[in-house]
Amino acid sequence: MDSIRRLLKDLSLKYTFILYMLVFLLLATFLSSLTLSILETAQDAIFFKYYDAAAYRTSVGTVGTSISTHSVRANIVLVDGNFSDTYSPVDRVFDQVLQALTIIAIPTIFLCCTVAASLLFYRHKMRRPVEILADASRRIAAADLDFTIHYDSKDEMGRLCASFEQMRRSLFGGNRELWRTLEERKRLNAAFAHDLRTPLTVLRGYADLLSKYVPQGRISQEKLLDTVSTLSRQVARLESYAASMTALQKLEDIVPSPAPVEASALLRELEETARVLCKSYSLRYSLESGLTGTVSVDLEVVLQVYENLLSNAARFAREQITILCTRDGDRLLLDVMDDGPGFSEKDLLFATRPYYGSEKNGEEGHFGLGLNICKILCEHHGGSLTLGNHLQGGAHIAAAFAIHPPSSPFSFGRSGPPRPAPSHGGPIKAAAQNRQEIFPPKK
């Protein structure tokens, strides 16, 4: 039975309609025959109230003992004319009604069976898919694409529903991609606004310095030129950053471009940024480094990560920020530590997610994107970003960047937590030891 039902459900609309019509035409034929037989029997019952069929067999020339009542009545009409004149008024009316029913019974039965076949065909083959498609059209028109169109049949309506489902999936995928693009654009704009804060703070600090000391003549010509040169570099960085961010659709599109950088130039940039930023927060800082020679990195990416880490540390530090810049084999290691409250267990798990900080701190103008941006940039530069707390309880963020080998093309890849920096003498040794205890070597 189930197989027959399945076969009928999968049968095409054309053949299903033909099958329904054939079945109901056969049914109409049977019902017509049965109805005519019943009507004739009723008419004969009235007739035999007034006539004896056996008495007329000889007079009408009927031979044999087998004779139908209808034949007897027909022959009596030929002999006696209108035999219904002998009927009572009630029987005469009843007989006329039965005659009328005999005339209209067949077309009425065939019409009813045709209508029944059509209604049954619509109910079993058309109603459900039409309702599904109507509801789907309404929801698609209302931009509600989070649903599924399912109609379990292989006929034309089943294929139409499958086509609608394919269209819905395409629209849903397109809308989801559009939503993702809009979200990425929002995130990129927020990142752009976030990353402008530190360079603008540096520029404002130098502008305040010039406006305060230049009118008093308390700044030397050499210092003035050096300050103007620093301002020019910061402005150039802002222009380059703005141009690159305008061309991007999402943060993941950033591709680092490594180039040889003198260690002294890198440390000078780190020093200037730390001096101005920490001064604006009334904090002390110390920059410790054993970096020498030349490293091949994308300076813009390194400084962008550094400024984010430094800005993040300045927001939570109480008095002191410590910066450690070292090299470990083919990686540049940059550690930023503060004496603030440090990371909670939840922070260590979620702080690098976008917008986490904005939910956590509720600070106006703070989007919670800094560490997320740093993580993306470090990974795109072949390194990593690791969060922890140093032994004194403050936050310790370690960034690693792959260094371009001089004799081979640059390869960006993801790596695990940064390896410990090599031990050096003095303060660097203590910082490196602290780093090793927080971020143990990979085994």
Side-chain angles (χ1 to χ4, degrees):
M1 183 60 69
D2 290 339
S3 60
I4 295 176
R5 188 179 294 111
R6 179 77 259 179
L7 180 64
L8 290 175
K9 190 170 185 178
D10 292 338
L11 194 64
S12 69
L13 298 180
K14 179 177 70 174
Y15 291 117
T16 302
F17 185 73
I18 291 174
L19 180 61
Y20 273 75
M21 291 304 298
L22 286 176
V23 171
F24 275 86
L25 286 176
L26 290 175
L27 178 62
T29 302
F30 171 75
L31 292 177
S32 298
S33 176
L34 181 62
T35 302
L36 289 177
S37 176
I38 293 172
L39 292 174
E40 288 179 359
T41 302
Q43 285 181 296
D44 292 343
I46 297 173
F47 171 75
F48 286 125
K49 288 182 180 180
Y50 306 94
Y51 295 93
D52 183 3
Y56 286 91
R57 288 174 181 169
T58 304
S59 63
V60 298
T62 304
V63 181
T65 57
S66 176
I67 181 170
S68 67
T69 306
H70 181 71
S71 299
V72 171
R73 294 177 64 234
N75 289 327
I76 289 174
V77 171
L78 294 176
V79 176
D80 292 348
N82 190 2
F83 60 84
S84 63
D85 290 342
T86 60
Y87 287 180
S88 68
V90 175
D91 286 341
R92 184 180 300 113
V93 172
F94 191 36
D95 183 71
Q96 290 174 352
V97 171
L98 291 176
Q99 290 182 18
L101 290 177
T102 302
I103 295 173
I104 66 174
I106 293 178
T108 302
I109 290 173
F110 272 85
L111 178 61
C112 291
C113 286
T114 301
V115 172
S118 301
L119 292 176
L120 196 61
F121 170 78
Y122 174 79
R123 178 182 177 183
H124 289 168
K125 296 292 287 186
M126 301 293 293
R127 185 180 67 178
R128 180 58 181 160
V130 167
E131 290 175 350
I132 291 174
L133 294 177
D135 180 67
S137 300
R138 178 184 59 79
R139 298 181 69 170
I140 290 174
D144 177 15
L145 301 174
D146 191 14
F147 66 99
T148 301
I149 301 172
H150 178 71
Y151 179 63
D152 185 20
S153 176
K154 297 179 181 178
D155 62 6
E156 292 88 341
M157 298 305 293
R159 293 195 294 271
L160 182 59
C161 288
S163 299
F164 254 72
E165 172 63 15
Q166 184 63 36
M167 179 185 70
R168 183 204 65 81
R169 289 181 182 177
S170 299
L171 289 174
F172 184 73
N175 282 3
R176 184 168 54 185
E177 181 63 23
L178 177 61
W179 296 331
R180 190 190 68 82
T181 301
L182 291 176
E183 182 64 23
E184 283 292 344
R185 174 57 61 182
K186 175 184 175 183
R187 181 181 169 200
L188 191 65
N189 291 337
F192 182 59
H194 179 278
D195 283 353
L196 284 179
R197 291 188 304 172
T198 301
L200 290 176
T201 301
V202 174
L203 290 174
R204 185 169 60 248
Y206 278 109
D208 292 343
L209 176 68
L210 293 177
S211 62
K212 180 178 180 180
Y213 292 109
V214 169
Q216 301 176 9
R218 296 175 56 187
I219 185 170
S220 66
Q221 187 73 13
E222 181 182 356
K223 179 62 176 176
L224 178 62
L225 292 175
D226 183 61
T227 302
V228 171
S229 175
T230 301
L231 288 173
S232 298
R233 289 199 305 272
Q234 291 293 335
V235 170
R237 283 194 63 218
L238 285 177
E239 291 176 344
S240 175
Y241 180 61
S244 63
M245 292 296 279
T246 301
L248 292 176
Q249 295 298 317
K250 52 185 179 180
L251 288 172
E252 282 74 8
D253 291 340
I254 296 175
V255 178
S257 301
V261 179
E262 291 292 334
S264 57
L266 173 60
L267 295 175
R268 184 168 59 251
E269 294 284 354
L270 301 182
E271 177 76 28
E272 290 175 352
T273 301
R275 182 172 66 251
V276 176
L277 187 63
C278 290
K279 183 177 180 181
S280 66
Y281 281 90
S282 301
L283 297 171
R284 299 191 309 271
Y285 77 94
S286 64
L287 174 62
E288 305 162 1
S289 176
L291 192 66
T292 58
T294 302
V295 291
S296 187
V297 293
D298 188 322
L299 183 60
E300 293 297 323
V301 171
V302 173
L303 291 179
Q304 189 175 348
V305 171
Y306 170 70
E307 289 169 359
N308 270 306
L309 297 184
L310 193 62
S311 175
N312 189 76
R315 289 173 45 243
F316 295 100
R318 296 188 179 94
E319 297 179 354
Q320 175 78 28
I321 295 177
T322 302
I323 303 141
L324 175 64
C325 181
T326 58
R327 176 173 182 167
D328 180 23
D330 60 352
R331 295 205 288 179
L332 176 68
L333 308 177
L334 190 61
D335 296 71
V336 177
M337 297 165 277
D338 63 68
D339 60 352
F343 291 111
S344 67
E345 292 296 327
K346 184 179 180 181
D347 292 340
L348 293 175
L349 292 175
F350 302 113
T352 56
R353 293 187 178 182
Y355 308 112
Y356 172 74
S358 60
E359 300 170 358
K360 174 176 175 285
N361 302 302
E363 298 179 21
E364 183 179 357
H366 182 70
F367 300 100
L369 284 167
L371 295 179
N372 177 253
I373 295 170
C374 292
K375 181 176 182 292
I376 293 173
L377 293 178
C378 287
E379 290 175 348
H380 280 224
H381 207 297
S384 61
L385 184 76
T386 310
L387 309 183
N389 294 315
H390 59 71
L391 299 180
Q392 287 72 33
H396 182 168
I397 305 178
F401 307 89
I403 296 176
H404 180 193
S407 59
S408 63
F410 196 88
S411 174
F412 294 112
R414 296 179 182 267
S415 57
R419 289 173 292 184
S423 297
H424 300 280
I428 298 177
K429 181 176 181 180
Q433 180 63 31
N434 180 35
R435 174 189 237 277
Q436 188 169 6
E437 291 179 1
I438 299 171
F439 311 116
K442 292 188 292 185
K443 297 182 179 180

